[in-house]
Structure formats: structure tokens, C-alpha cells
Amino acid sequence: MKMILLLIGPTIMMYIGLYVIENVAATFLLFYGWLLGAPLLGRAFPKERMQLSKQGFLLGIVSGVVFFVFIFGGMIWLHEYLLDVKSLRELLVYWGFIGPGEIWLVLVLLLLNPVLEEVYWRGYMFEKIRKKGSAATAITVTVAFYTLYHVLTVMQLFEVAYTLVAVIPVLIAGLFWGYIRERTGSITATIIGHGLGDLGIVCVYWFIVR
């Protein structure tokens, strides 16, 4: 029961923030509070998972660049079909992310998000599942629940018909970062790759939406 709660918890926090309270600041506090609080309270995240090898650094950079090109390049090509830019801009204004608050969006996406998501999923949860099962199980379970709450955010940003298309890159990235985590034994490489992938999202916002 505890494991199920840990897996579904981030999605519950995201749902409460976006769909019940309907406040982005509250969503961030609930969501990132869970991602930070659970590993701290569990005291189960080994510090050695933060070590970085040359191989891990290269894997992080290469994967990050690939996902950056895929996200930003793909949106340059397909944004007219996947995004309702006018509605998305209005939503971001409502959320306070266009104008004085936009610097916080950038900082959250580039600094806070990749670190806390990787610590939670490829660090804390991966470690717990891996101790009881295979690498394939750990990768599959963590990526499934990692992808789940992204569906909630994607539904807010994309046309409903394209929700699945928009979530596929999240699934692919999660699978690859899970593989890197197993191969290198470290999450530092996945943080690097995740940060560069999120940079692609920031560029979509900055050069297409904004």
C-alpha cells in the first residue's frame, strides 16, 4: 500500500493543484513538496547515486541534446498542428507565467524540475523497486507513473486530440533515463539529460508561444 501511494502520490498532488484548487503556485508547492519530502522522510536515497563518471556525463549530454532537438525542432515544425498558441498564451498569462512571473517558469523548468523529478523517480523510487525486482521492472514501473501525471499537464497545454502524441516524448525520455540510471548507477547523468530536455520546452515557450 505504501509503495502504491509513493507511485501515485505525485499524480494526486498534480491533480489537486491543477484541477481542484486550480492554482499553479499551489500545484508547485504540492507537487515539488512531495518529490522532495518523500525521499527525505524515507531516508532511503543513497548519496553514491549522485556520482558522475565520464561515461555518465557523455550519456547525459548526448541524450539531453537529442531530446532538446526533438522537442524544440519538432515544435518548430508541428506547433501549428499541435498547439493552439493563442489559447496557450492566454492560459500562461492566467497562470502568471507571461510577464513578471515568467522568470520563475524558466528557473523551475531548468533547475528545480529536472533535479527533483530525477531524485524521486530515477533515484528514490527506482532504488526501492530495483531492490525487489529486475532492472526492467524498475524502469517500466517508474516510467509508467512518471508519465501518468504528465498527461494531466499536457491536457492543459495541447489540443485534447494530441494529448497522446505530446506524451510520447515523455515516455521515451523516461525509458532512456531509466536505462542510463541502471547502466551508470547514477542519476547525475539523467539530471543533465533532463535539464537539457527541459531547455527545449523553455525554447518552445520563449520562441513560439511567448
Side-chain angles (χ1 to χ4, degrees), residues 12-34 95 97:
I12 294 173
M13 295 301 105
M14 188 70 71
Y15 180 81
I16 292 173
L18 286 180
Y19 293 90
V20 178
I21 302 175
E22 296 184 351
N23 181 277
V24 173
T27 302
F28 280 0
L29 287 174
L30 289 168
F31 177 68
Y32 291 118
W34 183 282
W95 281 353
F97 285 148

Side-chain angles (χ1 to χ4, degrees), residues 31-32 35 59-65 67-68 71 108-122 146 149-150 170 173-174 176-177 180 187-202:
F31 177 68
Y32 291 118
L35 295 188
L59 282 171
I61 293 293
V62 170
S63 67
V65 169
F67 288 119
F68 172 86
I71 293 168
V108 165
L109 286 175
L110 294 183
L111 300 178
L112 189 66
N113 189 67
V115 172
L116 292 187
E117 285 196 327
E118 291 306 313
V119 165
Y120 190 81
W121 291 113
R122 258 64 69 176
Y146 166 72
Y149 62 80
H150 283 85
V170 176
F176 191 73
W177 290 328
I180 291 178
I187 67 165
T188 308
T190 70
I191 291 174
I192 294 171
H194 198 146
L196 289 172
D198 283 354
L199 179 61
I201 297 174
V202 170

